[in-house]
Amino acid sequence: MLFLDRFRELAVDLGRSPQLTPYRAIEEWSEFVGDCVEGYEGTLFEYWDDISIRGFLQRVIDDPVVREVPELEWFKSEVRKADQEFSDLLDRGFEVRGGRGWWERRIPRVGGREMAENVNEQYGYEIDVV
């Protein structure tokens, strides 16, 4: 099976667009990370929705069919680039309960006004407002 075919199969199975490509999914993750580095401007609900792309990427990486394709190394390498930047950001962030992946167990210390209000209401943390 071709990587793109299996990727799109997984996308549909996991509630994403059948038009999503591996490149676009990585780009979404990278853009989200960039938004967080600058100070996430959405609500906490939007943050959790946007970060779900990383969980999807992990499901692709862990898929037994995908593990057999040569494109996996390229895919993991590209995901890892944004992962490193996000991990560095989270190291300075706050711990939260309930996250399944490492990317969900902490939240950034900096955000927009709505994000700051939501984090304070939900977790009791005072994040820096950009």
Side-chain angles (χ1 to χ4, degrees):
M1 175 173 271
L2 295 174
F3 177 55
L4 183 58
D5 293 336
R6 181 60 180 160
F7 181 91
R8 287 201 164 135
E9 230 175 66
L10 289 168
V12 170
D13 290 350
L14 299 170
R16 302 226 170 238
S17 167
Q19 302 307 310
L20 186 64
T21 64
Y23 178 79
R24 182 63 196 131
I26 291 165
E27 194 174 57
E28 280 183 33
W29 174 231
S30 295
E31 288 170 0
F32 172 78
V33 170
D35 289 346
C36 290
V37 167
E38 293 172 13
Y40 189 80
E41 290 288 345
T43 65
L44 183 59
F45 175 79
E46 291 166 328
Y47 173 87
W48 290 123
D49 186 51
D50 287 348
I51 204 172
S52 70
I53 189 65
R54 183 57 183 82
F56 169 71
L57 294 171
Q58 193 63 47
R59 294 282 300 271
V60 172
I61 290 167
D62 294 341
D63 182 72
V65 175
V66 172
R67 286 185 172 203
E68 303 299 318
V69 300
E71 294 90 346
L72 179 60
E73 286 311 309
W74 163 82
F75 188 76
K76 286 182 357 185
S77 169
E78 292 299 310
V79 170
R80 225 176 281 125
K81 290 175 188 173
D83 280 357
Q84 186 58 55
E85 188 174 10
F86 198 61
S87 177
D88 292 347
L89 179 68
L90 293 184
D91 284 347
R92 298 182 302 274
F94 296 105
E95 193 170 329
V96 295
R97 295 185 188 276
R100 287 173 281 168
W102 64 264
W103 55 91
E104 299 169 315
R105 293 189 192 119
R106 298 181 74 81
I107 54 173
R109 184 174 289 275
V110 177
R113 185 186 51 76
E114 279 187 295
M115 179 73 168
E117 288 171 5
N118 295 157
V119 167
N120 186 268
E121 290 166 9
Q122 183 75 31
Y123 302 110
Y125 295 130
E126 295 283 336
I127 68 170
D128 299 332
V129 177
V130 290

